Amino acid sequence: MKTRAAPACRIREGRGPALLFLPGYASDMAGTKACALDQWAAREGRAMIRFDYGGCGESKGAFEEQTLDSWLGDALRMIDAAEGPLILVGSSMGGWLMLLAAIVRPDRISALVGIAAAPDFTDWGYSKAEKTIIRTQGRLEQPSPYGDAPTLTTRAFWESGESAKLLGDEIAIDCPVRLLHGLADAEVPWRNALELVEQLRSDDVQLTLVKDGDHRLSRDGDIALLIAVIESLAA
Amino acid sequence: MILFATLLAVQAAPAAPENWPQSAATYERAGNHAAAGNAWLAAGDFARARAAFDTALASATLPDAARGQLHLDRGRALVLATDLVAARRDFDKALELLPREGFAFFASAALARRQEDLRRAQEDIAQAVALAPGDPDILIEAGNIAAISGEIDAAKALWLRAAEAAPGSDAARRALAAVAAN
């Protein structure tokens, strides 16, 4: 039984509720959105926490040994170590983790903000042929649209995702939820966001669609929209 | 019957005897969906087990204890079918209805450990040990959770307690193997 290393993190003290940023798959706390939000938090005197999942960015561990569960564990450790209510801001897979974390820590989460949230992507994000490769060969490498290194999916990660699916049933979350999604998102179909809106138990759910927005939603205008949404929650 | 199947499922799943599906079908015909669900669990058919527990839970007249047991059983079927989000819902409901049931806390702690929710695992296994201090399976899991929390001495003490609780049993062998491996 191995003890898992604590995630690397950056903590900015300030007014609450603190923002906790959950990056996407194989992404890290130095990403465009995380840094832009952190700069906004600095200007506004808001508390903000960024961290890296195990095996990503500055955190210890081998990427190949990570699963959705181990990254959820990292997120929960950050939540448990923080004080007071939190607003979780999850990008892509971070949006899935944000939902899973809110289900198990309802008393700690005051609101959720999803950016191209990707719950259940192990299900709809891979073709039948890709799933067969993952199952039979234990790993799948795909060219990444965001860098030179291919994106790796291990069977352990894929199986942990399949065991944590949320869509298709009511999602037991009651806090305010704000979702941003680009209609030009080539990774996560924007119609998934409609299903998520329907399944969330909370009545206070708003979805903002950006017609020319891509998956990353990292352009200046997208960031301004994200900040406006967070400001509206804090008010 | 329910308890027996419950204990069976905690162990490494044994080869399903031929007669489990037949027993399940017999229970279903008799309208005993709780027993049918546990027989399907023992047979390794988690989808049918879940469906049988769904039917049993649909009854409006169940006493709390029976309803809690059914949520616990269906949660176990969902863990085995790897639908962990739904399993968590059932275990939480079971804990509400069975606040003195060590096994319910044990099942919840084991799920929390699997989902790497360390705080929840620690809280629930402490409750389980308090409610059932002599149960070797619960003590082994308590040792596992202590170990991943970085408390190796506490873990070894718990595994040794598990071995002493049921000398010569399969649980004792697993407990001693854990002590030796750490």
Side-chain angles (χ1 to χ4, degrees):
Chain A
M1 300 267 164
K2 270 198 291 185
T3 311
R4 193 170 165 83
C9 62
R10 299 275 186 286
I11 294 169
R12 179 179 295 288
E13 303 280 348
R15 272 184 300 111
L19 304 180
L20 175 65
F21 188 86
L22 291 93
Y25 187 80
S27 181
D28 60 46
M29 62 179 166
T32 313
K33 291 185 288 285
C35 290
L37 269 188
D38 188 56
Q39 284 164 16
W40 170 80
R43 286 197 302 273
E44 299 292 318
R46 285 290 295 267
M48 163 112 194
I49 305 166
R50 293 178 292 152
F51 74 104
D52 283 336
Y53 306 126
C56 301
E58 297 172 20
S59 280
K60 293 199 172 75
F63 182 81
E64 296 211 26
E65 291 171 9
Q66 309 301 316
T67 62
L68 191 73
D69 288 332
S70 67
W71 288 344
L72 175 61
D74 290 337
L76 294 176
R77 278 179 80 155
M78 298 308 301
I79 292 169
D80 293 343
E83 282 172 20
L86 296 162
I87 295 177
L88 305 189
V89 183
S91 170
S92 192
M93 180 199 74
W96 189 359
L97 289 173
M98 151 189 109
L99 297 165
L100 292 169
I103 290 169
V104 297
R105 294 287 187 276
D107 48 333
R108 296 298 314 284
I109 311 300
S110 63
L112 302 177
V113 179
I115 307 154
D120 301 16
F121 81 83
T122 49
D123 183 21
W124 49 258
Y126 297 88
S127 68
K128 218 170 167 184
E130 288 165 344
K131 288 177 184 175
T132 303
I133 292 171
I134 293 170
R135 266 196 293 259
T136 57
Q137 298 175 27
R139 51 188 285 135
L140 171 72
E141 287 186 14
Q142 296 163 292
S144 164
Y146 307 116
D148 296 336
T151 302
L152 169 70
T153 307
T154 65
R155 180 165 52 206
F157 176 86
W158 183 79
E159 285 176 347
S160 70
E162 287 294 281
S163 75
K165 288 192 287 194
L166 291 169
L167 300 173
D169 204 348
E170 183 183 71
I171 301 172
I173 291 175
D174 299 302
C175 68
V177 181
R178 301 291 177 263
L179 301 167
L180 307 180
H181 216 112
L183 263 65
D185 187 332
E187 315 279 323
V188 184
W190 63 268
R191 284 186 177 79
N192 288 23
L194 297 180
E195 193 180 350
L196 177 54
V197 169
E198 279 191 313
Q199 294 292 2
L200 284 161
R201 193 167 67 194
S202 172
D203 288 328
D204 187 358
V205 179
Q206 295 175 13
L207 166 64
T208 305
L209 291 171
V210 181
K211 184 160 183 183
D212 61 352
D214 63 6
H215 182 59
R216 298 178 66 221
L217 287 177
S218 292
R219 301 167 302 178
D220 289 349
D222 301 328
I223 302 279
L225 177 63
L226 172 62
I227 287 170
V229 164
I230 291 169
E231 280 176 335
S232 75
L233 281 168
Chain B
M1 177 63 216
I2 289 175
L3 185 63
F4 175 57
T6 296
L7 290 174
L8 253 187
V10 173
Q11 320 286 343
E18 292 289 326
N19 59 345
W20 280 120
Q22 206 183 336
S23 307
T26 307
Y27 286 127
E28 264 171 13
R29 275 195 302 278
N32 187 347
H33 297 285
N38 276 294
W40 285 125
L41 263 188
D45 192 332
F46 312 131
R48 279 195 162 125
R50 179 186 191 170
F53 292 133
D54 285 348
T55 307
L57 278 163
S59 161
T61 56
L62 285 171
D64 277 0
R67 187 172 293 280
Q69 184 63 49
L70 280 166
H71 280 292
L72 182 55
D73 286 340
R74 189 173 66 181
R76 285 170 35 242
L78 290 164
V79 167
L80 293 165
T82 65
D83 185 347
L84 303 187
V85 175
R88 167 51 61 201
R89 266 202 305 271
D90 268 328
F91 285 164
D92 283 350
K93 197 74 196 158
L95 290 175
E96 253 176 67
L97 296 167
L98 302 169
R100 308 290 306 158
E101 173 61 57
F103 186 85
F105 283 96
F106 164 54
S108 175
L111 174 60
R113 174 165 73 88
R114 177 160 170 189
Q115 293 194 292
E116 307 236 4
D117 183 347
L118 203 51
R119 195 191 75 182
R120 180 76 190 263
Q122 289 163 346
E123 287 169 2
D124 284 359
I125 202 64
Q127 283 288 332
V129 172
L131 290 166
D135 184 310
D137 289 308
I138 290 177
L139 290 166
I140 290 175
E141 182 62 23
N144 296 345
I145 291 167
I148 56 167
S149 306
E151 296 161 12
I152 291 297
D153 290 343
K156 286 183 178 172
L158 285 158
W159 289 325
L160 286 171
R161 253 176 81 187
E164 285 161 12
S169 66
D170 177 57
R173 275 189 293 280
R174 283 185 288 128
L176 292 172
V179 174
N182 279 275

